[in-house]
Amino acid sequence: MPDLSGKHGLVVGVANKRSISWAIAQAAAAAGARLALTYPSERLEENVRELAAKLENPIVLPCDVASDDQIAALGAALDREFGGLDFFVHGAAFAPQADLNNPFIQTSRDGFRIALDVSAYSLVALARVVAPLMEKRGGGSILTLTYLGSQRVFTNYNVMGVAKAALEAAVRYLASELGAQNIRVNAISAGPIKTLASSGISGFSNILQVYRDRAPLRRNVELAEVADSAIFLLGPASRAITGEIVFVDAGYHVHGI
Ligand SMILES: NC(=O)c1ccc[n+]([C@@H]2O[C@H](COP(=O)([O-])OP(=O)(O)OC[C@H]3O[C@@H](n4cnc5c(N)ncnc54)[C@H](O)[C@@H]3O)[C@@H](O)[C@H]2O)c1
């Protein structure tokens, strides 16, 4: 059983009980960590507070990752409440629906900007705020969530694939810069899972079926399996791993034809 007792973590990206970030939060709490969860808007605040109430002594804070002011306020609140930070889970992603439905060539300038801002730049902006908090603890672990659509074309994944490519590059650049402070930066590339975000991709149930048919393990992955790998990457067992994209996808990515 991995041990995160005495550790403090930030989890950004919990929307509801099916969120990958919520599965990771539950696993981290079960491993003994104390957590801060965030909500991006008043509309989601109640959901997040209800879920957070299942954890031991959590803090719940606002953070729209497109807002520098809210990110700065989040950093200050974490410093006040936790006096430092040991890990950060980044599970925020968004693209306007039209840019997921239309052909990729029709991606709007605004849709491109929003998708890259919320889904990729936010990792950089948040890393800048959490890194000094992690330095206070002698290091830390940053983990984000990505998808194979960064490297291969998946119908309707569109601008989100471009955002994930940027996110994965950001993981490597951040890992390179923050390594000297013993801060590791990694991503999990998860297989498809039915969530609020994935329900915005039309044809998603077909993707699930193709994975079931073709992945080496001949099945889809479960939330708890992604969470288990996340706990490994957040904790000391992965202390020599950084800049890595770890596939938790039942092996799907290894196949050509
Ligand atoms: N579900 C899948 O099949 C799958 C596969 C691989 C990777 N991922 C990635 O996992 C991560 C979590 O997604 P999920 O599938 O759990 O869906 P989800 O909808 O539960 O999570 C997405 C989160 O992003 C948050 N978000 C959107 N805009 C935001 C903003 N401006 N500020 C702060 N937060 C904002 C939402 O509130 C939500 O909590 C995403 O990065 C997603 O791309 C998902």
Side-chain angles (χ1 to χ4, degrees):
M1 178 72 189
D3 186 9
L4 295 178
S5 53
K7 305 281 186 199
H8 290 86
L10 166 66
V11 181
V12 172
V14 174
N16 56 39
K17 65 179 193 311
R18 294 222 290 244
S19 296
I20 296 174
S21 301
W22 174 239
I24 297 172
Q26 285 177 292
R34 187 173 168 215
L35 298 179
L37 304 188
T38 65
Y39 55 90
S41 62
E42 277 175 24
R43 193 174 58 82
L44 283 172
E45 178 176 356
E46 203 181 311
N47 270 6
V48 176
R49 286 196 185 280
E50 264 174 34
L51 290 171
K54 299 176 199 285
L55 306 175
E56 191 145 335
N57 203 9
I59 59 174
V60 179
L61 299 161
C63 186
D64 174 351
V65 299
S67 160
D68 286 330
D69 288 348
Q70 289 193 27
I71 288 174
L74 173 66
L78 290 171
D79 199 12
R80 223 173 25 244
E81 297 284 334
F82 290 167
L85 197 70
D86 299 289
F87 62 85
F88 162 43
V89 177
H90 173 273
F94 179 78
Q97 198 57 47
D99 296 294
L100 297 172
N101 291 338
N102 294 332
F104 176 69
I105 199 169
Q106 286 175 16
T107 304
S108 64
R109 188 180 295 275
D110 226 29
F112 192 95
R113 181 187 60 72
I114 292 168
L116 274 280
D117 184 17
V118 172
S119 316
Y121 178 72
S122 62
L123 179 70
V124 183
L126 281 157
R128 202 158 51 234
V129 161
V130 300
L133 301 176
M134 291 178 170
E135 268 191 78
K136 288 188 175 190
R137 298 289 169 88
S141 177
I142 296 175
L143 177 67
T144 188
L145 291 156
T146 187
Y147 183 57
L148 183 59
S150 61
Q151 300 173 22
R152 317 256 177 93
V153 172
F154 286 79
T155 308
N156 297 323
Y157 201 61
N158 295 359
V159 69
M160 194 51 86
V162 179
K164 292 302 192 193
L167 179 71
E168 291 173 18
V171 164
R172 291 184 284 271
Y173 277 89
L174 289 170
S176 171
E177 285 188 4
L178 296 176
Q181 286 95 58
N182 193 32
I183 297 170
R184 300 180 295 108
V185 188
N186 294 291
I188 285 179
S189 186
I193 298 176
K194 235 186 169 97
T195 62
L196 187 63
S198 63
S199 65
I201 313 288
S202 58
F204 185 76
S205 47
N206 184 48
I207 295 179
L208 287 172
Q209 187 56 52
V210 172
Y211 271 70
R212 262 194 294 273
D213 292 344
R214 298 197 199 152
L217 295 179
R218 301 295 190 279
R219 62 177 180 83
N220 281 295
V221 299
E222 291 171 9
L223 284 168
E225 294 172 326
V226 177
D228 283 350
S229 299
I231 299 307
F232 163 69
L233 289 168
L234 295 176
S238 63
R239 61 195 172 278
I241 300 176
T242 194
E244 195 59 81
I245 313 297
V246 176
F247 285 86
V248 182
D249 69 344
Y252 181 85
H253 70 287
V254 305
H255 273 182
I257 293 177

